[in-house]
Amino acid sequence: MKKKIFVFLVLSFAIGRLFSMDFSLLGLTSFSVESEKNKETKSFSVEITPSFGIMFGRASEYVYLDYDYYEGIKNYNPKLSQLDYDFSFPYFSLAVDSILFKYLYLGGSFSIGIPLECGIMQDYDWLNVENPSHQWANELTNYSKHENHLDSYFDCKLNIGPNINILNKVSLIPLVGFGLDSIQFSAYNGSFKYGNITIGGYTPIHIDSQEFNYTGKDIIYSQYSSDGKGNSSIHFNIGLKYLIKFIPRVLINGSCLFYPFYSVSSYDYHIRTGREYISVVAKSFKFSTDLKISFIFNKFLSAGIFGQFEIIPQYKGVTYSRLHNSGDYIYSNNCQSGIERISGKVSLVFGLSF
């Protein structure tokens, strides 16, 4: 019993000492808030920040007809198909930020998603657009809805830049670096509505359709940063990181990153029909912005909240297809693909500084 009391007192003393220490700016001490007795900026500092939260958004795939001239119509480019993967899943992230030689910032982060059911997948087809004179040329002819499951998600980045200190209250860090990302889903247990065949096309689903259900895995779909040829690849980014310290024990920390030469590809495997598709958008961009607000307990520990918004806007590219494992992919003539993703993150963060 005496031994337990002694251990408890030692642990209590250690925890008390840890939380009573003078607090500083979590290692990013270009504008240190250490005690008045020691205002010298550290030449080297590191902050390790694990976080856990929710990532949410939508990943979309589009298919368009692409004709310079089609049945008397110039530049005929209507939407033929659209797939929407809505998602919301927990994720874990680990970031490391360091200041080297007082004036050089080096930082990186790695995020992974936790695989589980994460939303719904919806598939839309407007098959009558292939007959523009059809009375239902612009009506929805096919629709399906599935359970959406996250298979995998990761995002990693590495950045470097000069640390510019302004009046010991603000740091601005112009950034250059690289990033790599990928997300993959599987669609299960679908319900379908297919328009019936009619003269020259199909009936809209709101007028006449066949309905049926499917049990099991139906579609595998992924989006990833690529080299413009369908292969996964890292991408260059530029941006700005800022740190603001006006309120005692509160640090505002944010960044913006822009990928100006971003290429994105997708893989789409329809299991029931046995067809695989690869879409490549060689010229796009990605933009993300984030904000973290932390409370500083002392020069070692902090905790706060984090939010991020990211967008890959829709640009058009090319599509290749084949029967599953049947050989080389074949270029799809007179079709264009579109890829889009909008997402957000909200998480709790914890900082450990050295």
Side-chain angles (χ1 to χ4, degrees):
M1 183 65 178
K2 290 181 179 180
K3 184 180 291 186
K4 291 182 179 179
I5 293 173
F6 176 75
V7 172
F8 174 76
L9 291 174
V10 170
L11 290 175
S12 298
F13 175 77
I15 293 172
R17 287 292 296 165
L18 185 62
F19 280 87
S20 65
M21 292 179 180
D22 292 335
F23 51 89
S24 72
L25 196 58
L26 302 177
L28 297 182
T29 51
S30 60
F31 49 102
S32 175
V33 291
E34 294 179 357
S35 65
E36 292 295 323
K37 295 180 181 179
N38 183 19
K39 289 189 176 181
E40 182 180 355
T41 300
K42 294 180 181 179
S43 61
F44 174 80
S45 58
V46 177
E47 181 187 17
I48 300 174
T49 309
S51 63
F52 185 80
I54 299 294
M55 179 173 172
F56 53 91
R58 171 178 288 181
S60 297
E61 171 91 4
Y62 305 90
V63 178
Y64 298 88
L65 293 183
D66 182 33
Y67 289 93
D68 293 332
Y69 194 82
Y70 186 79
E71 294 193 8
I73 303 173
K74 293 183 66 175
N75 299 320
Y76 189 59
N77 191 223
K79 182 165 59 176
L80 178 66
S81 179
Q82 177 177 339
L83 291 85
D84 290 332
Y85 292 80
D86 294 326
F87 57 84
S88 177
F89 57 83
Y91 80 98
F92 173 78
S93 180
L94 183 66
V96 178
D97 298 284
S98 61
I99 295 294
L100 310 175
F101 313 111
K102 297 184 182 182
Y103 304 112
L104 181 65
Y105 167 84
L106 177 65
S109 66
F110 180 78
S111 300
I112 57 173
I114 298 177
L116 43 67
E117 184 178 343
C118 63
I120 61 172
M121 173 273 190
Q122 299 179 89
D123 186 2
Y124 309 83
D125 294 318
W126 294 266
L127 299 182
N128 289 333
V129 297
E130 296 186 87
N131 183 2
S133 62
H134 197 281
Q135 61 175 325
W136 294 313
N138 298 312
E139 298 286 346
L140 184 66
T141 57
N142 293 351
Y143 171 77
S144 66
K145 182 177 180 180
H146 299 70
E147 299 169 5
N148 190 25
H149 291 242
L150 177 73
D151 293 334
S152 64
Y153 164 74
F154 75 86
D155 179 274
C156 58
K157 57 181 73 75
L158 179 67
N159 287 95
I160 192 170
N163 180 28
I164 303 169
N165 175 29
I166 303 174
L167 301 176
N168 286 334
K169 294 293 184 181
V170 176
S171 271
L172 298 178
I173 306 171
L175 297 173
V176 295
F178 297 91
L180 177 72
D181 66 88
S182 174
I183 191 167
Q184 179 173 305
F185 304 102
S186 288
Y188 288 81
N189 305 328
S191 60
F192 301 81
K193 290 184 178 181
Y194 285 172
N196 288 311
I197 297 175
T198 185
I199 298 174
Y202 302 85
T203 59
I205 60 173
H206 70 274
I207 294 177
D208 186 23
S209 64
Q210 304 175 50
E211 299 185 29
F212 63 95
N213 297 318
Y214 178 83
T215 301
K217 183 186 290 190
D218 190 31
I219 298 174
I220 299 173
Y221 179 76
S222 63
Q223 289 183 357
Y224 52 94
S225 55
S226 75
D227 60 357
K229 299 178 182 180
N231 305 303
S232 181
S233 176
I234 62 174
H235 276 278
F236 168 76
N237 65 48
I238 56 176
L240 177 70
K241 186 177 182 67
Y242 58 89
L243 299 95
I244 302 172
K245 181 67 177 68
F246 287 116
I247 304 172
R249 297 202 181 201
V250 175
L251 174 64
I252 299 173
N253 180 345
S255 68
C256 298
L257 282 179
F258 179 60
Y259 294 75
F261 311 113
Y262 189 76
S263 298
V264 58
S265 295
S266 69
Y267 171 77
D268 186 13
Y269 173 32
H270 290 243
I271 296 172
R272 281 185 308 110
T273 60
R275 294 206 67 86
E276 296 174 281
Y277 304 87
I278 289 181
S279 297
V280 179
V281 177
K283 296 180 180 180
S284 182
F285 71 84
K286 183 171 76 168
F287 173 79
S288 67
T289 181
D290 61 65
L291 179 67
K292 180 175 69 174
I293 302 175
S294 300
F295 180 81
I296 306 168
F297 296 108
N298 55 52
K299 64 183 179 181
F300 295 113
L301 297 175
S302 69
I305 57 174
F306 171 87
Q308 182 191 68
F309 171 78
E310 183 174 274
I311 182 170
I312 301 171
Q314 183 190 165
Y315 278 78
K316 293 180 180 178
V318 296
T319 298
Y320 304 85
S321 66
R322 69 176 184 180
L323 288 174
H324 182 54
N325 289 336
S326 64
D328 293 336
Y329 285 89
I330 299 173
Y331 172 69
S332 298
N333 291 313
N334 301 318
C335 278
Q336 285 186 314
S337 62
I339 300 174
E340 180 181 41
R341 187 166 77 240
I342 300 174
S343 65
K345 291 178 178 176
V346 177
S347 64
L348 297 176
V349 297
F350 304 92
L352 180 61
S353 299
F354 303 94

